[in-house]
Amino acid sequence: MTFKLLLLPGDGIGPEVIAEVERVIAWLTTKGARFSVERDLVGGAAFDAHGTPISEPAMKKALDADAVLFGAVGGPKWANAPYDKRPEAALLRLRKDLGLFANLRPAICFDALKDSSALKPEIVSGLDILIVRELTGGVYFGEPRGITKLPDGERRAVDTQVYTTGEIRRIARVAFELARKRRNKVASAEKHNVMHSGLLWKEEVTYVHGAEFKDVELSHILADNCAMQLVRNPKQFDVIVTDNLFGDVLSDEAAMLTGSIGMLPSASLGNRDEKTGKQRALYEPIHGSAPDIAGKGLANPIAAILSFAMCLRYSFAMMKEADLIERAVAKILDDGYRTKDIMQAGKREVGTQEMGSAVLAALDKLAA
Ligand code: NAD
C-alpha cells in the first residue's frame, strides 16, 4: 500500500525541520515502506508566491492526501498582511476544510530531559499523557461574536461558547478510543458548575461512556482543578478530553512540563469515513516558525520527527515504525545529543541537520 503524504513546510524553521522529516521518510522507504510525497507552499511563502496563504491547488492536494505534514507559518515579514491573508489563516482553512475537529497533543517527558522541566524531576519522570482538544467548535467559533459600540460610547465585546451534542460525542469517542490503546483512562475537563456548555459536555461524555466505552475508566474534573493537578501530579492522567478554549490553555501548560517546545508533536484528526475508512489528518510540531533562529541551523527537528511518528501510528497504522522512531529519539537524547534549546552542561550541542543525522544513525542501529 502506498500512502499519500503532502508536505507543507511553510516559513521560518518550518522548512528546516521538515527537511529532517524527509530524511526519515527516505530511510523508511529503504526499508520497504511506500509513500508518494507531494510538496506545496503554505503561509507567508504561499502569500509571496500566490497572494494567498494557501492556494486552491494546495488545498486540493491536502484534501486528496492520506495525511498532511505541516511545518510552521508566520513571521515579521507578513506582520502587516491583510487579516484574512495572514500566514496563520492557512492553518485555520486547513482545519476547517479537512474537518479536523480533534487535536491530539501528547506530553511525554523523555527520561534524559527530566531535568529540563520547570517541575521537579520526580514529578515528570516517565510522564506520558495525551490531551485531546476539541478544535472546531466552542468559543473561538460561536456566534454572535464581535465588538460593538454602545449608545453611551462604551464598547462591548461578545464571544459565544457553544457546543452541540454531536460535537461533544464525536470528540469523546476519539478520546475513549485512544485511551483503549493506552492506559484506558479518560479525564473529561469542563466547568459544569458555572457553564451550561460545561453541563452538556459532562452529560454527553457520560452518555457516550455508558453506551459505548464502559471498559474505559472515566472521571470528570473541573478545568481549573485540572490546571492545578497538571502541575501537582501530572502522572495521575492518561487521556484528558476537553473543549477548544480549555484545551488551548491546558495543552500549553502540559507542554511546559516536558521542557522544550522543540520536542512536542501534535496531530489533528477528522471524522473517519464509514465507507472508505479514510480519516483526514494533519500532523505538525506545536512550535511556530521561530524567526529568531530561522536560517541558522539551530532548530530542534525532534518535534517535527515525532509528529511524523504520530502520523505513522494514527494514519497509517505503522506502529512498529512509529515505535522505532520514538526509540531512536530517546536513544540519541540518552547519548547526549542536544540542540541549543535543550542543551545541558556536559552534553553535545548539535545543529538541526546533525540532530537529523543522529536520528538516522540510531534508526540504523535499532533496525539492525
Ligand atoms: P515560536 O514557537 O515560533 O517560538 C517561541 C520560542 O521557541 C522562540 O524563542 C524560538 O526560537 C523557540 N523555538 C520554537 N521552536 C523551536 C525549535 N524547533 N527549536 C528550537 N527552538 C525553538 O513562537 P513565536 O515566537 O510566538 O511565534 C513566531 C511566529 O510563528 C509567529 O508569526 C507566530 O504567529 C507563528 N506561529 C505559528 C504556529 C504554527 O505554524 N502552527 C504556531 C505558533 C506560532
Side-chain angles (χ1 to χ4, degrees):
M1 179 150 186
T2 302
F3 295 112
K4 267 202 258 177
L5 271 172
L6 173 65
L7 305 187
L8 296 174
D11 309 316
I13 63 168
E16 298 172 43
V17 296
I18 293 294
E20 299 313 307
V21 174
E22 291 200 66
R23 296 173 72 194
V24 176
I25 295 172
W27 185 89
L28 284 177
T29 308
T30 66
K31 303 289 166 202
R34 287 166 61 175
F35 303 104
S36 79
V37 181
E38 288 201 278
R39 293 165 192 77
D40 215 314
L41 301 173
V42 73
F47 180 77
D48 288 348
H50 308 298
T52 176
I54 183 153
S55 68
E56 293 312 315
M59 268 312 306
K60 187 171 176 321
K61 282 184 204 165
L63 287 163
D64 286 347
D66 293 314
V68 177
L69 292 181
F70 188 95
V73 291
K77 182 175 176 198
W78 304 282
N80 296 320
Y83 189 74
D84 61 328
K85 304 271 190 229
R86 68 200 194 286
E88 292 78 5
L91 201 47
L92 297 182
R93 168 102 194 265
L94 281 161
R95 283 178 186 161
K96 185 164 167 281
D97 289 14
L98 271 58
L100 306 175
F101 67 89
N103 185 230
L104 278 46
R105 282 238 214 143
I108 295 169
C109 185
F110 286 94
D111 229 39
L113 294 182
K114 60 179 190 280
D115 294 318
S116 314
S117 168
L119 298 190
K120 293 189 192 104
E122 63 269 25
I123 292 189
V124 292
S125 170
L127 180 74
D128 177 3
I129 61 181
L130 178 66
I131 301 208
V132 178
R133 165 189 171 192
E134 201 291 326
L135 200 59
T136 52
V139 73
Y140 294 160
F141 295 95
E143 296 284 348
R145 57 197 282 110
I147 302 177
T148 50
K149 196 151 188 185
L150 299 177
D152 64 1
E154 273 209 89
R155 292 198 303 154
R156 178 171 182 267
V158 175
D159 293 287
T160 303
Q161 165 81 340
V162 54
Y163 272 107
T164 61
T165 50
E167 284 173 316
I168 300 169
R169 287 181 190 184
R170 68 180 183 177
I171 191 77
R173 283 190 186 101
V174 169
F176 287 126
E177 272 165 15
L178 289 165
R180 275 182 176 160
K181 295 179 189 150
R182 298 170 48 93
R183 297 189 300 281
N184 221 27
K185 274 182 10 178
V186 171
S188 170
E190 33 60 18
K191 290 282 286 177
H192 71 269
N193 53 342
V194 286
M195 295 171 78
H196 291 99
S197 55
L199 188 58
L200 188 70
W201 185 279
K202 185 176 179 190
E203 288 174 359
E204 290 303 320
V205 172
T206 305
Y207 169 79
V208 172
H209 177 250
E212 299 169 42
F213 296 96
K214 276 211 183 94
D215 55 304
V216 182
E217 189 186 319
L218 169 66
S219 60
H220 300 279
I221 185 166
L222 293 174
D224 48 345
N225 184 26
C226 186
M228 283 201 290
Q229 296 300 328
L230 273 174
V231 287
R232 197 184 72 85
N233 176 19
K235 282 187 264 181
Q236 70 185 281
F237 296 112
D238 177 18
V239 175
I240 296 173
V241 63
T242 190
D243 74 13
N244 203 344
L245 174 64
F246 295 137
D248 196 358
V249 178
L250 294 174
S251 59
D252 268 17
E253 185 190 2
M256 274 300 100
L257 303 178
T258 68
S260 166
I261 197 166
M263 296 291 303
L264 291 162
S266 78
S268 299
L269 308 179
N271 255 336
R272 190 176 292 286
D273 186 305
E274 300 266 308
K275 279 195 211 116
T276 62
K278 179 170 165 163
Q279 184 175 37
R280 294 224 163 84
L282 180 145
Y283 298 85
E284 58 173 330
I286 72 157
H287 60 74
S289 59
D292 53 333
I293 57 165
K296 297 182 181 159
L298 295 176
N300 185 348
I302 291 179
I305 291 171
L306 292 176
S307 299
F308 178 56
M310 287 185 85
C311 170
L312 295 174
R313 174 168 292 122
Y314 296 124
S315 283
F316 305 153
M318 293 170 71
M319 309 300 179
K320 216 169 64 186
E321 291 80 356
D323 282 347
L324 196 65
I325 292 171
E326 285 162 1
R327 277 167 48 217
V329 167
K331 175 163 181 15
I332 58 169
L333 294 172
D334 284 343
D335 291 348
Y337 287 89
R338 298 285 187 276
T339 40
K340 203 179 176 72
D341 56 310
I342 51 173
M343 185 56 193
Q344 295 161 306
K347 304 297 179 191
R348 172 173 174 189
E349 189 171 328
V350 296
T352 310
Q353 287 178 9
E354 214 180 328
M355 192 60 124
S357 302
V359 172
L360 296 183
L363 283 171
D364 275 335
K365 273 207 191 108
L366 291 170

